[in-house]
Amino acid sequence: MTVPPRKYARLLLTSAALALTLVAGPALGKDKPKEHADGPAAAYEPSLTTLGQIKVEIPGRKADDPVMTQEEFQKATTIYFERCAGCHGVLRKGATGKPLTPDKTRENGYDYLKNFITYGSPAGMPNWGTSGDLSEADVDMMARYLLLEPPNPPEFGMPEMMASWKLLVKPADRPTKKMNDIDIDNLFSTTLRDAGQVALIDGTTYEIQAVIDTGYAVHISRISASGRYLFVIGRDAKIVMIDLWMKVPGPVAEIKIGAEARSIETSKFEGWEDKYAIAGAYWPPQYVIMDGDTLEPKKIVSTRGNIYDEQVYHPEPRVAAILASHYKPEFIVNVKETGKILLVDYTDLKNLKTTEIEAERFLHDGGLDSTHRYFITAANARGKLVVIDTKESKLLAITETGGQTPHPGRGANFVHPDFGPVWATSHLGDESVALIGTDPEGHKDQAWKIVDSFPAMGGGSLFIKTHPKSNHLYVDAPLNPEASISSAVAVFTIDKMKAGVDPESTILPIGEWAGIPEGQPRVVQPEFNKEGTEVWFSVWNAKDKESAIVVVDDKTLKLKKVIKDKRLVTPTGKFNVFNTRGDVY
């Protein structure tokens, strides 16, 4: 059905809601907010599962500290690492979420914290108590925990990495030619989040070719420049390197590079293809350069340092997106809390050269423009886009999107009928889609400016996608609290877009098409096949319920295939080998 998009607009976060934080204002009332981030929203930002298993001691006691046993402190630390640290930081210094250090939490007090944890807020704080995720006793314990100093988790350096490194199949023992008849370019590496696995699904036959054990909640999959090796990294910082040439694709190396991580990439510049892999950690805050054939760690670099604007030290600047430059032998590294983008020259690891670009705080995800020269990334908690010229190694622009919490994934490149080449982002915090001009030669006056913004279905979007061969722009909203929205996708026809006119959208009922009778399945991450003729969607349900992959014909927007299998447990991200390797989006 085709409908005016404003009919589906749902503003999740208002200015008033954003003002409702832990560091200001009176305690919350006891009415449950009508809109809040629920289980899947929290699930998308999981945190330090492995750190929760480490024994920690209560930091130096003070006379006015709340009563808490060592057993309670250990349990509360585990809950915090698993539920809270992804937004508030391991050391509770704040990032996407507000600071939860004792100087802030004690100002508001126990009752405020207990109410806030119980009922949540429209600004995105989950209602842990009323949702049933935490018992009343757990909420009481967490309120007391937040009044204490946070524990310092252990570091993770070269000895720990080497102890975790496993070379499962040496390069000399691997196939010298492709040993299967799989169209590797059209494979989809599909995250099975709660199973700790990835499924390799054939884009032609829709059959699962392999299910491979990986780290917990794989965040991304990346492909070596040659197209042979698949690298996946879990949020527990475990990397698994998979050889796609094997008769049955399987792991050849693995390593842990910390306790929590999000990003991995491989070298792509001519002459350096497959030479190195790089991964970035949330904890400890660092990145690691590894041998591209074996994952042997070669160089560990801490990202601790001063915030770019305030010039004060931050102990936990996490590494977010990492991309490989197509113009230089460099990795592009986002350092979230300090607001710096690092261009890391990998030609000489002994004498490492890094260009440090001051950008904006809370750098998260992003991608390249259609020419692969310009890196566009979201500073999501600041509502801005940052543009870097990877050829000239310099900052070009910092632009406000006009929306709340941009979350583009890698974004979407297309040619707008009026504005020419643009790159698009959707938003977590509201229904808007923003377009930024990306053609400094043909459309100089519009370059690096927000040229248009229009509503999609509603807030809670994680990914936006198109393809050079497609005339459609797809926008998901899996974290929207309304089931009818979180299980659907908005589609815009590109050649019908006009300057100053909100385009109409076609709403695809992907969840309905999946035919799943139980749960609240959420549709996430559109991904094209290599030909650009099909779009795949994950229908993400609870771990104990049925999930699916839905395939849509891009030209007709009709259902083409529903993939169901008992092994498809909580599917989320999907990464087509051809498109991922070539930065096609």
Side-chain angles (χ1 to χ4, degrees), residues 24-195:
L28 289 174
K30 298 201 173 186
D31 291 333
K32 174 183 171 182
K34 293 181 180 179
E35 297 176 330
H36 59 273
D38 54 11
Y44 193 77
E45 288 287 347
S47 201
L48 297 128
T49 306
T50 53
L51 273 184
Q53 301 166 2
I54 297 171
K55 183 174 175 57
V56 292
E57 300 292 337
I58 302 176
R61 292 262 195 186
K62 298 182 180 67
D64 59 347
D65 281 351
V67 175
M68 176 166 270
T69 67
Q70 178 60 46
E71 182 181 4
E72 286 180 317
F73 189 80
Q74 182 69 46
K75 181 179 179 181
T77 299
T78 300
I79 291 174
Y80 181 82
F81 286 153
E82 293 178 350
R83 305 283 194 179
C84 317
C87 287
H88 298 283
V90 175
L91 302 180
R92 309 208 313 240
K93 298 286 186 179
T96 304
K98 294 296 181 179
L100 295 175
T101 47
D103 60 316
K104 306 292 185 184
T105 57
R106 290 194 174 207
E107 181 179 339
N108 289 292
Y110 168 84
D111 288 336
Y112 178 87
L113 294 170
K114 184 179 178 182
N115 285 334
F116 206 93
I117 296 167
T118 300
Y119 299 104
S121 85
M125 171 71 176
N127 56 320
W128 296 113
T130 56
S131 68
D133 286 300
L134 295 180
S135 68
E136 187 174 344
D138 286 339
V139 170
D140 161 69
M141 178 180 65
M142 293 307 296
R144 286 181 283 127
Y145 174 79
L146 293 177
L147 294 170
L148 295 171
E149 292 288 341
N152 267 319
E155 299 295 320
F156 204 97
M158 188 61 77
E160 291 81 9
M161 287 188 202
M162 290 302 295
S164 74
W165 175 49
K166 296 178 182 178
L167 185 56
L168 304 173
V169 182
K170 296 178 180 179
D173 297 331
R174 298 172 194 168
T176 57
K177 63 179 180 179
K178 186 168 170 282
M179 302 298 291
N180 57 60
D181 59 1
I182 301 170
D183 181 359
I184 289 176
D185 270 354
N186 206 25
L187 271 182
F188 287 78
S189 177
T190 303
T191 297
L192 306 180
R193 186 193 177 282
D194 292 334

